Amino acid sequence: MTPSVRSRLWASATSFALGFGVGNYGVLQVPRPDQWVWIAVAVVLMLTGAAGVLFADTSRAVSFWAILGVEVFAVFTLVPLLWTFTVATTPEGATARTLLPQDISWSAFDGAISSGTLRSAATTSLLVALVATVVAVALAVPAAYALVRLQVRARRLVYGLVVAALLMPVLALAGPFADQLVSLGAYGSRLALVVPMLVVTLPLATWLCVTVMRDVPWTLLDAVRADGATRPQQLRRFAVPHLGPGVVAAALLVFVAACNDFALGAGLAPDRPSLPLPATLLVASRQVDGSSAVAAAGLLWLLIPLIVLLVLPRRINHLLGRSYR
Amino acid sequence: MRGWRWLAPAVLVLLVVTVWPIGRAVWLSLTRSTLTGAGDQRFVGIDNYTDILSSRSWWLAVAATLAIVAVAVVLQLVLGLAFAVALRRLTVAWPVTRVLVLLPFGLLAIVSAVVWRDAVTSGFAVDWFGLDDVGPTGALVATTVGEVWRGTGITAVILLAGLLRVPTTLITSAIADGATARQRLTRVVLPAMAPAIAVATTYRALDALRILEGPLVTDAPGASVRTASFVVWDTTFSSFETGLGAAMSVVLLLLAGLLAAFLVPVLRVRRVV
Amino acid sequence: MAGVAAAAMTCAPLAACGAADKAVPYLPVITWQVGPDRVDAEALAQTCNDQAGGDYRIEVEQLPTDVSERHALLTRRLLAHDDSIDLMSLDSALTTEFAEAGFLAPIPAAQASALSEGVTPAALAAASHDGRLVVAPWFLDPQVLWSKGSTAERAGLDTTKPISWDDLVAGAQRLGVTIEIEDRDGSGLPEWVNGLVAGGGGSLVSGTGRAARAGLDSAGGREAASIVELYQGAGVGPGPTADAVTRFAGAGGGFLVAPTSAISDPALSAVQADMRVAGYPTVADASVAPLAGVGLAVPAHASDLDQQAAFTVIECLTSPTSLQALATVSQHTPSRIGLLDDPAVAGGFRSAEVARASATTGVTVPAVAAWANVVDAIDETWRPLAGVTQDATPRTSQAEVQAALDGTIR
C-alpha cells in the first residue's frame, strides 16, 4: 500500500466516522426541521468516506483529507451565514428558533431599505469612508513608493509606526477624540468623523500599498525610462497597468475596513445623521424585533465586501496574504 | 533625502491623528472630568492610575480579555491552518473558496455578535445542545466564538500565503527521502511557514484584544465577566467619565504594547520593508 | 426640526416682493422630545397648536424608553448641539447634571415666578439648580399603593392608616397574590431603594457635587435591604419589572406599587374602575413615597428665536387647561398641586388625597450630577434581588455608589 493510498483510506475512515457521529447526534438530539441539516451533513461526509474507499488507489493527485477539510470549511462558514439569514427573515414579533428558516418574511429587508435612520447611517458610513479612503490612499501611495524604492533614513522606524497604528486598539483614541470634538464644537458633524477615521485608513492603506509596490516589476520602469518615455508615457505604459490594479484593490479593502469601523463611529457621533451604520445597528439591536433588522441590514451591507470580492477575488486574496506574509 | 519628500505627508498626518489624541488622553487621564462638563473638573495627578491599577474589577477584566485573546488566537490558528492546507490542495474549488473564505470577515462584527448571541439565548443552539439560560457569560462566550468564526477565514488566507511559499521541491525531496506525513509537517512545512504563523498570531492577537461589539451586546447588570475594552467604553461613553476613561485608554494602549512586545521577540516576527 | 417654515404666502408680482418679504410671518417648528411617561403629548401639542393660531407648531418626537439609553442619547444630542431639540420633557432626576453641564437655557425672569407659583417644594427643588429655576415644573408623581377591589381588606390591611411593608408582604403572602412594583424605564429599582432608605430614616446620597457621600452603609440602608430581602424571601413578586401593570391586571395580581399615573395605563382598563389607592408602604412609621416626574426644559444651544417660541410653548403646556388634561387623562400629579382642588379635576383624578399627602412627605432622587451612574451602580449591586442581604448588600452597594459619585472605577 503506497503512502497516498493509506492516507486516502485514513481520510475515508475519519470522514465516515465523523459523518456517523453527526448523523447519530442529529437523529437523537436535534428536533426537526434542523435534523435535516444534520442528516444532510452526515450523508455528505459518509459519501465522501465511501468515495475515498472506492477511489483509494486512483493515480490522480486527489487528497481526500483536502476534500474533507473543504467540506468542514464550507459547513463552518455557511451555517452562521444561514442563521443570519434566518434571523433576518423571521416575521415580525416572532423569534427564530431553528437554523432553517420556517416562515420567510422579507419585511426586515424592506424595513432596512426604507428606514430613514438606516439610510442616513449608511450614507454617513459611505461618505466618511470614501473621503477617508481617498485621502489615505493619496498619502499612502507616495509613502509606500518611498519605503520600497527610495533610500530613506529611519525606514524601519516609519514602517514600525505604520504597523503599530494598524494594530493599536482604536477604541483608546475614541474618548480623547470625542472630548476634542466637543471642545471644538464639531461633535456631531459628519465631516468631523473623517480625521479620526484616518487612524483606521492611513496605516492600512500604507501597509497594503507597500505590498503592491513590492510586487511591481520596477526594472520595467527603468526600461521604459531608457526608451526615453515622457512622464505621461511612463504613466500610461507603466504606472496604470502595473500599479493601478493593486492600488485599486488596496483602496477597496481600505474602503470596506472604513465602512465597517465600529468603535470610532460609535464614540464620535451622537445620533442621526452623523452616526455611522455599525453604531446605528447597535442601537437598533436593542429595539423590538431588533435582531431581524440588524441581521437584514448586515446582510445588505455584506453586499459591499461581496462585490469587492467577486470583482477582484484573486487580487484581494493575494494582497491580503502577501501583506501579512 | 529625496525619499522623505514622498514620505513626509503620510508620516505627518499619521503622527497628527495618533499622537495628538494619545497626548490628549494622557493629559485627560490626569484630571477628573466628564464629557458633559457636569461636576467639577480638576487636576488629580496620578489618582486615576492608582485607582485603576488597584481595582480588582479592572484586573479581572484584563484577565478575561487576555483569556479571550488566547482562546481566539489558538482556535483561529488551528482552524485556519487546517482550512489553509485543505484549500491549497483543492485547486478546482478556488473560484468559490476564495470568495467564501473572506465572506465572514466582511460581515459587520456587530451583526455577527447579535446573531451569535441570539443563537445561544433564544435560537437554534438552545435546541441543538440543550442549553438552558446561558446568562451574560454564556452569551459572551457565544459572541467570542462568533469573532473566531469571523477571523478564521482571514487567518487561513495569511497561512495559505505562507504555505504557498513553501517550496514544492522541498516537499517532494522529503517524500523521496521517505518522510512520513507527520515528519513532513513538523520538519518541513511548519518551519518554512513559521514567519507566516508568527505574523498571523501577532496580528490576530492584537485584533482580538480590541473586540468590543460582543461584550457590548451581551452585557447585563451584574454580569460577572467583562472585558477591558468594554470597561473603557462604558466609562467613557456611558458614564461619560472622560478623565478616568482616558486613564483606562492609556493603560489599554500599554497593554497592547506589552502584548506586542511579548509576541514579537518570542515568535521572532521579522518583517522588513 | 427647528427649521423656520415660511407660512404659505404667495407673492406673485416680483416687483412688490422686496419689502413684503420681511413681513412674511414665520412659523417656528418646535420639536418636543418626550420620554416614556403617560402623557398624551400629541393631544396636548395639538391643543396648543390650535390655540397658538400661527405662532408656532409643535412636533412630538419620542425618546428611548430605557432610562440609560435616554440619558445617553439626550446627552449626546445636547453635546452635539442637535437642532432637532427645541423642547424636552426632562426627567426630574437629570436636572442637576444637565444644569451643571450648561445644557439648559435659563428661564426668563418674567416667566419664572409664574411657573413656580403654587408648586410643591419638592417639585420646585427638582426643577432648580443653585437656587435658580432651570426647568419648568410640570408633574411629579408620588408612588402609591394600588390594590384591586377588596384585596386590601381581605389581606387584613386598613387602608385608612399607613400600611407597613411588613404587613403588606404578610397580607399578600396570606392571600397568595403578588405585589407588583412598576419599573417602566429601568429607574424603578434605584427609586425603590431611594424611597426605602429615606423611609428608614437615612438618605441614599447626602451632599452635592464630588463631595457627595453615599449613605447606604447605615441603619437606613440596612433597613432598605432587609425589606427587599423580606419581599424576595416571601416570593410575593418579581420586584421592579416593566410589565408590572399587566401582571397586576392578571389573575394573580393583588397590589401594585406605582406612580399615580399607573391607573391610566391601557393595560388596566379592565380593572381600572375597581382599583383602590393607599399611601406608599411605610418602612418605619412614616410613608415616604418616591417622587419622580418630568419638567419642561429648553436647550441652551437653541437659537434665540427658537428659545422664545419654546418658552411660549411651555406657557401653553403649563396652563391650567393643559394641566387639567395631564391630571384627569393621564393621572399625573401636577407639580402645581393646588390644581387637584379644582372642581374640574377633583372628579377625574383618582388618587387626589393620597397624592396631596405624598407630594409633601415624599422624596425625590438626590440632586447629584452623577445620578445616572448611581443608577448603574445600584442596578449592578441590587440585582438579582435574590442576592440581596441586609448584611452584605448595603456595604458592597455603598462602595459602588460612592465610586459612581466620585467618578472612580467601580
Side-chain angles (χ1 to χ4, degrees):
Chain A
M1 208 161 32
T2 64
S4 63
V5 172
R6 195 182 308 136
S7 151
R8 281 180 199 138
L9 287 177
W10 268 113
S12 307
T14 313
S15 185
F16 197 84
L18 208 59
F20 188 74
V22 168
N24 270 295
Y25 187 90
V27 169
L28 295 176
Q29 297 284 334
V30 179
R32 277 181 204 169
D34 288 352
Q35 208 173 52
W36 297 117
V37 177
W38 286 74
I39 292 174
V41 170
V43 166
V44 169
L45 286 173
M46 286 159 90
L47 282 180
T48 310
V53 176
L54 283 177
F55 302 108
D57 57 358
T58 174
S59 56
R60 302 175 66 181
V62 183
S63 163
F64 278 89
W65 281 115
I67 293 176
L68 176 63
V70 169
E71 281 168 6
V72 174
F73 161 77
V75 171
F76 174 84
T77 309
L78 290 177
V79 163
L81 283 176
L82 174 61
W83 168 242
T84 311
F85 176 78
T86 307
V87 173
T89 53
T90 306
E92 272 170 56
T95 313
R97 296 197 185 283
T98 57
L99 178 64
L100 290 175
Q102 297 283 61
D103 192 3
I104 294 185
S105 133
W106 300 100
S107 61
F109 285 94
D110 285 347
I113 292 170
S114 59
S115 148
T117 316
L118 286 183
R119 262 200 215 167
S120 91
T123 314
T124 307
S125 273
L126 294 174
L127 196 74
V128 170
L130 186 69
V131 179
T133 305
V134 169
V135 173
V137 171
L139 291 169
V141 170
Y145 175 74
L147 284 173
V148 173
R149 279 279 284 173
L150 304 176
Q151 289 300 314
V152 184
R153 216 181 287 163
R155 180 160 69 169
R156 295 187 60 168
L157 186 71
V158 171
Y159 191 73
L161 178 71
V162 169
V163 174
L166 183 69
L167 294 179
M168 88 182 143
V170 178
L171 168 66
L173 305 190
F177 264 132
D179 192 65
Q180 180 70 67
L181 290 183
V182 167
S183 57
L184 288 176
Y187 185 72
S189 110
R190 272 179 177 166
L191 280 181
L193 283 173
V194 171
V195 174
M197 194 57 80
L198 287 174
V199 175
V200 175
T201 56
L202 185 52
L204 184 62
T206 313
W207 187 69
L208 290 172
C209 283
V210 163
T211 308
V212 172
M213 293 289 171
R214 246 198 280 116
D215 290 352
V216 168
W218 292 105
T219 45
L220 207 65
L221 176 62
D222 300 335
V224 171
R225 277 191 183 145
D227 282 355
T230 57
R231 282 251 160 185
Q233 278 174 333
Q234 286 178 19
L235 199 71
R236 203 177 63 240
R237 285 202 274 150
F238 174 76
V240 172
H242 293 288
L243 265 178
V247 171
V248 167
L252 287 174
L253 281 176
V254 172
F255 179 72
V256 168
C259 278
N260 289 8
D261 167 78
F262 175 82
L264 280 178
L268 300 187
D271 193 15
R272 75 214 161 6
S274 64
L275 196 65
L277 188 87
T280 307
L281 292 184
L282 174 69
V283 178
S285 74
R286 298 191 182 123
Q287 287 158 3
V288 185
D289 288 326
S291 296
S292 294
V294 169
L299 284 178
L300 290 173
W301 201 243
L302 186 60
L303 290 177
I304 299 173
L306 183 65
I307 289 168
V308 170
L309 268 174
L310 286 177
V311 172
L312 299 166
R314 285 190 53 190
R315 207 165 266 286
I316 299 283
N317 273 267
H318 187 69
L319 187 56
L320 279 176
R322 292 265 298 150
S323 294
Y324 286 100
R325 200 168 62 172
Chain B
M1 293 313 305
R2 205 162 60 88
W4 268 100
R5 262 186 300 172
W6 295 75
L7 204 52
V11 171
L12 271 181
V13 172
L14 189 60
L15 283 178
V16 167
V17 294
T18 53
V19 172
W20 178 258
I22 292 175
R24 200 174 170 92
V26 171
W27 164 246
L28 278 173
S29 70
L30 302 176
T31 66
R32 184 141 295 165
S33 54
T34 54
L35 193 61
T36 58
D40 48 338
Q41 325 278 308
R42 65 198 158 87
F43 186 81
V44 294
I46 58 161
D47 276 11
N48 285 327
Y49 289 102
T50 51
D51 194 30
I52 294 167
L53 298 180
S54 61
S55 153
R56 189 165 165 272
S57 58
W58 170 258
W59 288 113
L60 280 177
V62 168
T65 311
L66 291 179
I68 287 179
V69 168
V71 171
V73 168
V74 168
L75 282 178
Q76 285 179 4
L77 278 182
V78 170
L79 287 170
L81 190 59
F83 292 158
V85 171
L87 293 180
R88 191 182 75 110
R89 290 295 296 270
L90 216 64
T91 40
V92 273
W94 275 9
V96 179
T97 49
R98 250 200 296 256
V99 175
L100 212 54
V101 74
L102 284 175
L103 211 49
F105 203 55
L107 190 68
L108 289 175
I110 180 76
V111 177
S112 153
V114 167
V115 298
W116 278 86
R117 177 199 63 188
D118 284 5
V120 296
T121 51
S122 62
F124 70 93
V126 177
D127 280 346
W128 283 18
F129 305 114
L131 303 176
D132 182 33
D133 190 17
V134 291
T137 312
L140 182 64
V141 170
T143 57
T144 307
V145 175
E147 271 305 303
V148 172
W149 170 72
R150 276 187 74 239
T152 297
I154 181 78
T155 315
V157 169
I158 304 169
L159 296 175
L160 186 57
L163 208 56
L164 290 171
R165 289 164 59 86
V166 180
T168 34
T169 49
L170 217 59
I171 298 177
T172 35
S173 60
I175 293 175
D177 290 348
T180 63
R182 172 176 300 174
Q183 282 170 334
R184 287 203 307 269
L185 182 70
T186 53
R187 304 259 173 90
V188 181
V189 177
L190 285 182
M193 279 186 71
I197 293 177
V199 168
T201 310
T202 315
Y203 282 39
R204 297 314 300 154
L206 287 160
D207 210 31
L209 187 72
R210 45 185 175 190
I211 296 177
L212 176 63
E213 290 89 338
L216 270 183
V217 299
T218 55
D219 189 66
S224 45
V225 181
R226 295 199 160 111
T227 67
S229 318
F230 175 82
V231 176
V232 172
W233 171 270
D234 195 53
T235 308
T236 314
F237 294 111
S238 296
S239 304
F240 297 116
E241 296 281 359
T242 26
L244 185 64
M248 288 176 175
S249 300
V250 172
V251 177
L252 187 68
L253 281 174
L254 289 177
L255 202 68
L258 280 176
L259 188 63
F262 167 74
L263 288 175
V264 168
V266 165
L267 298 168
R268 299 204 192 83
V269 178
R270 283 257 171 280
R271 171 72 146 77
V272 187
V273 186
Chain C
M1 277 289 140
V4 180
M9 200 174 177
T10 44
C11 191
L14 285 166
C17 267
D21 259 359
K22 285 199 181 98
V24 169
Y26 283 107
L27 176 67
V29 177
I30 295 299
T31 311
W32 178 22
Q33 307 272 344
V34 300
D37 48 47
R38 292 189 166 93
V39 175
D40 188 353
E42 295 282 357
L44 282 183
Q46 194 54 52
T47 315
C48 285
N49 282 345
D50 293 347
Q51 277 174 16
D55 289 349
Y56 56 75
R57 189 160 52 80
I58 308 172
E59 271 176 12
V60 177
E61 203 178 300
Q62 194 73 39
L63 288 168
T65 302
D66 182 76
V67 68
S68 313
E69 280 174 44
R70 191 163 67 244
H71 168 251
L73 184 65
L74 260 183
T75 309
R76 283 167 160 238
R77 280 187 184 170
L78 288 164
L79 278 175
H81 296 184
D82 188 332
D83 61 4
S84 72
I85 312 179
D86 302 307
L87 179 65
M88 354 173 217
S89 284
L90 187 65
D91 298 42
S92 53
L94 298 181
T95 305
T96 308
E97 182 185 353
F98 282 15
E100 273 189 24
F103 287 160
L104 307 178
I107 290 183
Q111 237 178 317
S113 59
L115 285 173
S116 44
E117 196 188 305
V119 170
T120 57
L124 204 57
S128 310
H129 178 66
D130 266 351
R132 284 188 51 200
L133 197 69
V134 287
V135 171
W138 207 30
F139 69 81
L140 195 69
D141 284 355
Q143 292 196 13
V144 295
L145 177 66
W146 295 102
S147 54
K148 269 196 301 194
S150 60
T151 320
E153 284 85 81
R154 283 189 288 124
L157 301 171
D158 179 3
T159 53
T160 58
K161 281 189 289 196
I163 300 166
S164 71
W165 277 102
D166 295 354
D167 294 344
L168 178 64
V169 169
Q173 207 175 11
R174 199 160 50 239
L175 277 188
V177 294
T178 58
I179 305 167
E180 301 295 342
I181 300 170
E182 198 189 34
D183 177 15
R184 271 168 78 78
D185 64 353
S187 59
L189 180 64
E191 277 168 14
W192 192 28
V193 172
N194 184 45
L196 293 180
V197 174
S203 77
L204 181 58
V205 175
S206 50
T208 55
R210 294 289 195 197
R213 299 261 68 87
L216 275 163
D217 196 7
S218 64
R222 279 183 288 279
E223 193 78 54
S226 78
I227 285 171
V228 174
E229 209 182 336
L230 172 81
Y231 172 90
Q232 182 64 28
V236 287
T241 50
D243 59 349
V245 173
T246 322
R247 295 168 51 93
F248 170 73
F255 299 95
L256 173 69
V257 176
T260 55
S261 61
I263 192 169
S264 71
D265 198 287
L268 292 181
S269 51
V271 290
Q272 211 174 48
D274 201 25
M275 276 168 67
R276 315 266 178 87
V277 67
Y280 192 78
T282 61
V283 178
D285 296 329
S287 156
V288 182
L291 299 173
V294 159
L296 298 169
V298 180
H301 64 73
S303 71
D304 288 349
L305 222 62
D306 284 335
Q307 287 194 9
Q308 234 168 32
F311 281 114
T312 324
V313 173
I314 287 183
E315 216 165 277
C316 173
L317 289 175
T318 53
S319 69
T321 349
S322 297
L323 289 182
Q324 266 170 30
L326 200 71
T328 54
V329 179
S330 50
Q331 303 285 322
H332 283 294
T333 308
S335 297
R336 197 173 292 158
I337 199 84
L339 202 89
L340 296 184
D341 304 328
D342 189 320
V345 176
F349 190 73
R350 291 288 300 272
S351 49
E353 215 169 299
V354 176
R356 210 178 287 120
S358 309
T360 49
T361 56
V363 59
T364 53
V365 298
V368 285
W371 173 250
N373 296 344
V374 173
V375 169
D376 288 345
I378 290 183
D379 266 337
E380 194 66 32
T381 45
W382 290 69
R383 277 190 203 278
L385 288 190
V388 172
T389 62
Q390 52 176 319
D391 301 322
T393 307
R395 213 162 336 111
T396 52
S397 191
Q398 165 85 13
E400 292 243 351
V401 171
Q402 189 62 54
L405 291 169
D406 292 343
T408 56
I409 194 168
R410 296 208 297 272

